[in-house]
Amino acid sequence: MGPGLSALLVFIALIVAWAVVLKRNITEAAALSLVILPFFGGFDRAWSLMLGAVKYALNYEVLFASLAFVFMSFLLQNSNVLTGMLEIFTRLFGRLKGGPAYANTAISSVLGCFSGGNTPNAATAGAFTANWLMRSGWKKEQAATLIAGNGGLGAGFPPSASLFLVLGFPTVAGVVSEGGLYVALFAAGLYQVLWRVVYIHFIVRKNRIQPMVQADAEPVGVVFRKYGINLLLFMGAVIPVMLTMGPIPEHFSALSETWDDAMGALNLLVWLPVLMILIILLLDGKNVARQFSGWEDFVKKLIPHVATIGGLLFFIFAASNVISKLGLDKDVVALLDRMSLSPVITTTVILVLLAVVAGPLSSTATLTSVGVVSHAILVGVGIDPLAAAVALLVVASTEGASPPASGALFVACGLTETDPPKIYMPLIMWFVIPITVIAGLIAAGLLPLP
């Protein structure tokens, strides 16, 4: 077994044992892994691997975005903006049992078709529905599980960076068209949505959740007149998406090289939380300020929200970088070359492997490291190239719900103030395993694609 695969197994085992068996703070395990894993590359490389991983984590935009969304959530909790939005959403969807859960799923699906990012997807949809979910009867762990799981729809629906990456695979290019893969992945996203409806229905029945709106509720028009201005918060998500995708950036990029560089410098993960924070302050900044006696009080109350998640994300992202640098992709190729398995078992092994790798790595990093060889192996055992490509993308989208290093997971926990290890098993049982099964059914042709 090569150093990359060995490091991955040790990393997962250390995280699970530390959190589940020892019941210690998971940040400690993540920090310890950053010290241990570089030595899998040898004593001569350990220091450079560690320093490179630290530099990578400090420059990784997901780390900034996750902390920015935690800060945004903190501001929302101390403002009237969220209250106004919840009044609107409650009136629109409150007559449904599980209304906020269906709203979160719908928002996540729509955002998935725009942004293609799991972490901003979970953050945006979760910011509007986290408190609403808990107010309607969802336990905070259940709410965090749904928000993180729905975050995966960012990569589960096209377009996404993962889709364009797969289109460049040697066994995909020239065989599968861009339009064909786009439409097929959209259909697969709908399969994922149907499964989420099953999960929501289960929780609604288990918690005996009732509609939040009674027959004598205020008319919709009255509610919008009172609270409609708070919907401007959505512009914090709409504007960055419009400026980074679609005809607007294409138009400005065509004007000149300077404009092209400027549009290329816009980062969705950076500007989405920044703009939403600015809108919150514009809408209700004075009221937010009144919640604190001064800057010292503000910082004291903010630090507990940021410190744990910030430290955990930093060490986990750094450890993930070490695993990639140790040659995880080469180790996987070598391992599979030594196996002689049936097509069904081979497909199962490949999909499970991708789901495991998606735990510490992002969906894009997962497909970058083991995607090419995985698709080649699936096609080699008789899987249709389009079905194989979609199956890989579906499994990679579990990154949004895969412990221990999912950005969406930590954003969801930040929004609901949930201890991350408490939702590890629910996420695995309700999202990682079922979605991997969906991918297997797609690869086998049992779930049809257009």
Side-chain angles (χ1 to χ4, degrees):
M1 186 181 296
L5 191 55
S6 299
L8 174 65
L9 296 177
V10 169
F11 177 66
I12 295 172
L14 180 62
I15 292 291
V16 173
W18 206 268
V20 178
V21 179
L22 299 180
K23 300 187 183 301
R24 299 277 299 178
N25 190 322
I26 195 173
T27 306
E28 298 171 355
L32 185 60
S33 68
L34 180 58
V35 176
I36 294 173
L37 298 185
F39 288 95
F40 280 84
F43 284 91
D44 55 332
R45 291 183 61 202
W47 185 245
S48 63
L49 283 171
M50 192 181 302
L51 288 179
V54 169
K55 183 178 179 180
Y56 167 82
L58 289 174
N59 288 278
Y60 191 29
E61 65 268 16
V62 174
L63 177 61
F64 167 81
S66 300
L67 296 178
F69 281 122
V70 171
F71 180 61
M72 181 201 73
S73 175
F74 178 74
L75 292 180
L76 273 176
Q77 292 171 16
N78 289 280
S79 75
N80 292 323
V81 175
L82 184 61
T83 302
M85 295 189 70
L86 289 176
E87 291 292 340
I88 294 173
F89 287 141
T90 300
R91 183 60 186 86
L92 290 177
F93 299 99
R95 294 186 186 278
L96 293 173
K97 294 181 180 180
Y102 293 117
N104 183 277
T105 304
I107 294 172
S108 297
S109 300
V110 172
L111 289 175
C113 295
F114 287 128
S115 67
N118 293 335
T119 302
N121 202 11
T124 305
F128 299 134
T129 57
N131 283 26
W132 187 23
L133 280 164
M134 292 183 285
R135 280 178 54 190
S136 70
W138 286 62
K139 298 177 182 177
K140 64 179 183 178
E141 291 84 3
Q142 294 170 338
T145 299
L146 179 71
I147 293 168
N150 280 347
L153 292 173
F157 276 102
S160 67
S162 300
L163 181 144
F164 298 114
L165 178 65
V166 169
L167 282 169
F169 288 177
T171 48
V172 174
V175 179
V176 177
S177 68
E178 293 182 12
L181 184 56
Y182 190 102
V183 173
L185 183 59
F186 185 85
L190 295 178
Y191 290 139
Q192 290 201 46
V193 169
L194 288 176
W195 172 252
R196 285 161 167 83
V197 171
V198 172
Y199 172 68
I200 293 169
H201 183 68
F202 171 80
I203 297 297
V204 167
R205 289 178 60 87
K206 179 181 179 181
N207 293 8
R208 298 180 180 178
I209 294 173
Q210 299 299 318
M212 295 182 66
V213 173
Q214 305 301 322
D216 59 349
E218 288 184 312
V220 173
V222 174
V223 174
F224 268 90
R225 281 194 295 273
K226 284 184 178 180
Y227 307 106
I229 191 172
N230 295 299
L231 293 178
L232 287 174
L233 187 58
F234 272 111
M235 298 305 294
V238 173
I239 293 174
V241 170
M242 292 178 63
L243 290 178
T244 53
M245 297 181 181
I248 293 178
E250 291 178 1
H251 169 73
F252 284 105
S253 295
L255 295 178
S256 68
E257 185 176 343
T258 302
W259 273 106
D260 185 52
D261 292 340
M263 300 310 296
L266 291 174
N267 189 305
L268 180 66
L269 273 180
V270 171
W271 285 105
L272 197 151
V274 168
L275 192 55
M276 294 183 79
I277 288 170
L278 291 175
I279 292 174
I280 292 170
L281 294 177
L282 286 172
L283 289 175
D284 203 33
K286 291 183 179 179
N287 182 60
V288 171
R290 284 195 290 266
Q291 307 304 312
F292 308 95
S293 59
W295 280 108
E296 183 178 353
D297 182 42
F298 177 82
V299 173
K300 282 183 178 179
K301 292 179 179 178
L302 173 64
I303 285 177
H305 293 260
V306 175
T308 300
I309 290 180
L312 180 57
L313 283 177
F314 171 78
F315 289 116
I316 282 185
F317 289 147
S320 299
N321 179 257
V322 172
I323 294 171
S324 298
K325 291 287 183 65
L326 288 172
L328 177 62
D329 54 343
K330 297 178 181 178
D331 293 345
V332 170
V333 172
L335 178 64
L336 292 175
D337 282 344
R338 292 196 296 267
M339 294 181 178
S340 180
L341 306 173
S342 69
V344 173
I345 297 178
T346 299
T347 302
T348 303
V349 169
I350 290 295
L351 297 181
V352 170
L353 173 66
L354 256 75
V356 171
V357 173
L361 303 182
S362 68
S363 57
T364 306
T366 298
L367 292 168
T368 300
S369 60
V370 296
V372 174
V373 65
S374 297
H375 189 267
I377 292 171
L378 291 178
V379 173
V381 298
I383 304 297
D384 177 75
L386 175 61
V390 172
L392 296 183
L393 286 165
V394 169
V395 175
S397 75
T398 62
E399 175 253 327
S402 294
S406 163
L409 186 157
F410 294 113
V411 166
C413 289
L415 290 169
T416 58
E417 298 186 348
T418 299
D419 187 20
K422 290 185 178 180
I423 66 170
Y424 281 4
M425 286 309 299
L427 281 172
I428 291 172
M429 296 301 297
W430 282 103
F431 289 94
V432 177
I433 292 177
I435 291 171
T436 303
V437 171
I438 289 174
L441 296 175
I442 289 173
L446 297 178
L447 286 178
L449 298 174

